[in-house]
Amino acid sequence: QVQLVESGGGLVQAGGSLRLSCAASGRTSSITRMTWFRQAPGKEREFAAGIRWRSGITYYADSVKGRFTITRDNAKNMVFLQMNSLKPEDTAVYYCAAGSVTYAEYDMDYWGIGTLVTVSS
């Protein structure tokens, strides 16, 4: 089992920045991919960013590319999402997830409970 705990959400004005953190514990050796998903009010959950645990290769949704940066600290078993130039449409609950196959939501084996990001206009 792997436990994931997110932190760093909050309220920010449009154009501002936030940094989300995700701490992983437990059987982390089984993880090859760490991801951030998000779910806006009234919408389905969607992929935002992912990172390969060992290589650090990253992958982004078009909606966040150039504004968000995902990084990891292998020694501390942590993943981060730096979010810049935030827009009101970035308002969502952000979930940290871990898997070992692809970045698809159905391939994620473990999920955090989420952290709310609210961007005011």
Side-chain angles (χ1 to χ4, degrees):
Q1 287 288 341
V2 174
Q3 294 77 44
L4 303 173
V5 179
E6 304 98 335
S7 61
L11 174 64
V12 63
Q13 288 188 335
S17 299
L18 276 178
R19 187 191 192 213
L20 305 183
S21 301
C22 174
S25 61
R27 195 167 170 264
T28 57
S29 60
S30 65
I31 299 171
T32 61
R33 287 170 171 81
M34 294 292 294
T35 64
W36 288 96
F37 283 80
R38 65 184 186 179
Q39 187 167 19
K43 295 187 178 181
E44 295 187 351
R45 188 157 54 187
E46 64 176 8
F47 171 85
I51 189 166
R52 296 290 293 268
W53 194 242
R54 290 186 177 182
S55 68
I57 295 173
T58 58
Y59 184 62
Y60 297 94
D62 288 343
S63 58
V64 307
K65 197 174 296 181
R67 301 187 298 120
F68 291 10
T69 303
I70 185 172
T71 57
R72 91 271 192 242
D73 184 331
N74 293 40
K76 295 182 179 180
N77 285 338
M78 294 193 71
V79 175
F80 307 96
L81 186 66
Q82 178 66 42
M83 306 185 294
N84 299 329
S85 301
L86 282 162
K87 305 174 182 179
E89 51 263 44
D90 293 318
T91 294
V93 176
Y94 284 72
Y95 297 91
C96 178
S100 59
V101 181
T102 73
Y103 288 126
E105 183 175 354
Y106 55 77
D107 275 337
M108 293 297 111
D109 298 315
Y110 306 102
W111 292 86
I113 62 171
T115 185
L116 177 63
V117 172
T118 303
V119 184
S120 62
S121 57

